[in-house]
Amino acid sequence: MKRIILFINLLFISLSFGQTIALQSFATGFSSPVEIVHPPNDVRFFVLQRFGLIRILNQNGTVNNTPFLDVSTLISTSPGNERGLLGLAFHPNYATNGIFFINYTDTAGDTVIARYTVSTDPNVANTTATILMTIDQPYSNHNGGCIRFGPDGYLYIGMGDGGSGGDPNGYAQNLTVDNANPTRVFLGKMLRIDVDTTDGLLNYGIPATNPYATTPGIKEIWAFGLRNPWKFSFNRLNGDLWIGDVGQLDIEEVNKVPAPLPTGLNFGWRCYEGNSAYNTSGCAAMSTMVFPVTQYDHSTGCSITGGYFYTGSMYPNFANKYFYTDYCDNKIRTLNASNVVTTTDSFTGDFTAFGEDINGELYVAGISNGIVYKIIDSSLGLNDFTKNGLSIYPNPAKTEIFIKNSYETALSKVKIFDLTGKLVLTKAVENNETAPSVTIAALSSGLYVITVEDVTGTLYQSKLIVE
């Protein structure tokens, strides 16, 4: 993986940071990437290409030549650009059972959820599949496509309202099965299934806590009222659900469902687009619906791409923020705990997917340029530490660091603090050491403040990343 030595000008204890979100090219050469997923406890990324390939992206930024899976003969990608291979989810026990699931539109244009397994080669999947469900799609757009395992171990499936414009058939609010097209009741819904059991003739089971678990034809429905949930994710630390739901004419929205997750939620479409009334004929009361935690109009952007709540440790400025973007304006947006949105300038690439690595660091993919970027904080630049002839190497580091003392300043001690201000390591330094070493093997991975003190009591501070 590409490494950059990062330093930041830190105030002792108070840790006053600036923030600049930037993108660093991590891997190139993809064709229409629409999803970035890593299996549990696996450093590899699996990148979905809309036209049917799953490719393995390694930790060092290289891409395997042989696809992990090729389903290009099974899918339809036309008309329009919302069909194809759209979703991937690895079983929580993938390391032992090798099971994963994909979401694609078949040659008839319908949504298929299928189960696959990895072969004896961990970089190649078996091509034999078991189809769990096929959902009839009346139009070519609004297919949803995102699938994720929740903290409860169940598979969540995000379904769009079936397409056209304005949900002309009212699918998103409908809970009545049409016997002529029985699977269309799943459109505009979030489904939840148990992939480790079966229910009757189904190739999956129904969680007992699903709101309609005993109602034939709609047992799978967990929530409804979605237009086109283009990417949802779970906070891996606390289980909160975040959904980016694409709007109709005016509004893009982010929905947040705090854990523990309730069931039977109504996210409002087509009655409401964001917080605004759209078509309220026959709709339930507003008080029965879940409204977005934030939204933005089409004065900027036109199609939200949902992302992730940052749970990494490399960039403390990103902490407690949800990251998302828009396909049309390529601006990275963050939402903090106070629901304040910060927006970057536009990048390039037409962003269609975020990824989260094993450490919680974030990535984003451009469908038009085929690049996977790492999201970084560029404010972590070279600081005044070096003006005093001091530098730390290596940084990032794993077990040991050295402090280069070019000006032969008379040093007395080194202290390392975590980001709460807690002192986690102290070492005395001999005055004649020009490159004193500090063992850091006992420190957990993350970001720290290192303070070097000279014999006069003057402090010199910088940032240290422990891998």
Side-chain angles (χ1 to χ4, degrees):
M1 180 183 292
K2 301 176 181 69
R3 300 290 186 190
I4 54 176
I5 297 179
L6 303 174
F7 296 92
I8 188 168
N9 186 18
L10 297 172
L11 296 180
F12 181 58
I13 297 178
S14 65
L15 301 179
S16 176
F17 292 98
Q19 178 180 338
T20 304
I21 294 174
L23 302 182
Q24 179 186 50
S25 178
F26 182 71
T28 61
F30 294 99
S31 175
S32 298
V34 292
E35 186 65 291
I36 310 169
V37 182
H38 80 88
N41 302 313
D42 195 320
V43 298
R44 297 173 298 170
F45 277 133
F46 290 70
V47 180
L48 272 68
Q49 298 184 164
R50 189 172 72 88
F51 293 95
L53 298 185
I54 300 177
R55 304 181 67 191
I56 293 179
L57 170 57
N58 299 299
Q59 190 179 24
N60 62 359
T62 62
V63 182
N64 291 4
N65 290 327
T66 301
F68 178 67
L69 181 66
D70 182 352
V71 294
S72 56
T73 61
L74 303 180
I75 68 173
S76 168
T77 57
S78 61
N81 61 1
E82 296 187 27
R83 289 177 168 176
L85 176 60
L86 302 177
L88 168 66
F90 290 92
H91 193 284
N93 297 323
Y94 178 77
T96 55
N97 64 25
I99 296 173
F100 64 97
F101 302 83
I102 64 172
N103 181 331
Y104 64 91
T105 50
D106 65 15
T107 53
D110 296 328
T111 291
V112 174
I113 308 298
R115 180 177 66 231
Y116 283 80
T117 58
V118 68
S119 73
T120 55
D121 181 345
N123 292 319
V124 178
N126 293 313
T127 57
T128 302
T130 299
I131 293 178
L132 270 61
M133 63 174 67
T134 300
I135 300 172
D136 182 68
Q137 292 283 1
Y139 303 99
S140 64
N141 57 339
H142 302 182
N143 298 298
C146 188
I147 54 177
R148 300 270 190 264
F149 277 94
D152 49 19
Y154 298 134
L155 183 64
Y156 288 71
I157 303 166
M159 294 298 303
D161 66 7
S164 188
D167 192 8
N169 300 108
Y171 290 126
Q173 291 293 315
N174 176 56
L175 293 172
T176 302
V177 176
D178 176 0
N179 291 329
N181 297 288
T183 60
R184 290 189 183 180
V185 74
F186 296 147
L187 299 175
K189 312 298 193 301
M190 184 76 77
L191 311 180
R192 183 173 71 167
I193 61 175
D194 183 348
V195 300
D196 294 322
T197 63
T198 57
D199 183 75
L201 298 177
L202 300 176
N203 286 324
Y204 54 85
I206 303 297
T209 52
N210 275 12
Y212 313 104
T214 60
T215 305
I218 61 172
K219 297 179 179 181
E220 295 85 345
I221 296 174
W222 174 78
F224 61 104
L226 293 165
R227 184 176 180 273
N228 193 33
W230 185 250
K231 307 304 180 185
F232 63 90
S233 65
F234 294 92
N235 181 327
R236 66 181 187 143
L237 299 183
N238 67 9
D240 290 350
L241 171 62
W242 295 83
I243 306 171
D245 197 14
V246 179
Q248 177 63 42
L249 297 174
D250 299 308
I251 298 171
E252 306 298 309
E253 67 181 78
V254 173
N255 292 288
K256 177 186 177 183
V257 183
L261 304 179
T263 63
L265 303 177
N266 181 355
F267 290 101
W269 174 252
R270 69 176 181 177
C271 302
Y272 297 89
E273 181 187 14
N275 291 317
S276 301
Y278 182 82
N279 182 348
T280 57
S281 176
C283 291
M286 288 183 67
S287 59
T288 65
M289 301 179 185
V290 176
F291 286 88
V293 66
T294 192
Q295 65 180 44
Y296 61 95
D297 63 31
H298 286 188
S299 62
T300 176
C302 73
S303 181
I304 192 171
T305 295
Y308 287 87
F309 187 89
Y310 182 76
T311 60
S313 60
M314 185 168 286
Y315 305 114
N317 291 334
F318 294 172
N320 300 313
K321 293 182 175 66
Y322 172 71
F323 281 67
Y324 60 109
T325 185
D326 191 283
Y327 172 81
C328 297
D329 70 10
N330 292 295
K331 295 179 179 179
I332 304 294
R333 295 166 170 83
T334 62
L335 177 71
N336 69 13
S338 300
N339 291 338
V340 175
V341 176
T342 301
T343 304
T344 69
D345 293 332
S346 293
F347 296 99
T348 59
D350 303 323
F351 299 140
T352 51
F354 285 85
E356 179 187 47
D357 70 17
I358 191 172
N359 298 314
E361 304 303 330
L362 299 183
Y363 300 74
V364 68
I367 194 172
S368 61
N369 62 13
I371 299 176
V372 172
Y373 301 92
K374 184 174 183 178
I375 301 175
I376 66 172
D377 183 352
S378 63
S379 70
L380 303 186
L382 194 67
N383 77 345
D384 289 340
F385 195 73
T386 57
K387 292 182 180 180
N388 296 287
L390 300 173
S391 61
I392 304 168
Y393 65 93
N395 189 12
K398 293 183 178 180
T399 60
E400 186 178 28
I401 59 171
F402 298 86
I403 300 172
K404 187 175 180 180
N405 185 7
S406 299
Y407 296 170
E408 298 184 359
T409 303
L411 305 178
S412 64
K413 67 184 65 174
V414 174
K415 294 182 178 180
I416 298 178
F417 299 82
D418 67 18
L419 292 184
T420 68
K422 178 183 177 182
L423 178 64
V424 294
L425 188 151
T426 301
K427 180 181 178 179
V429 177
E430 297 294 335
N431 291 344
N432 58 357
E433 289 186 84
T434 57
S437 66
V438 180
T439 300
I440 59 170
L443 299 182
S444 301
S445 60
L447 183 67
Y448 296 84
V449 178
I450 184 166
T451 299
V452 180
E453 183 176 341
D454 68 17
V455 294
T456 69
T458 302
L459 303 176
Y460 310 92
Q461 292 142 344
S462 187
K463 180 180 71 70
L464 170 67
I465 296 174
V466 177
E467 296 183 309

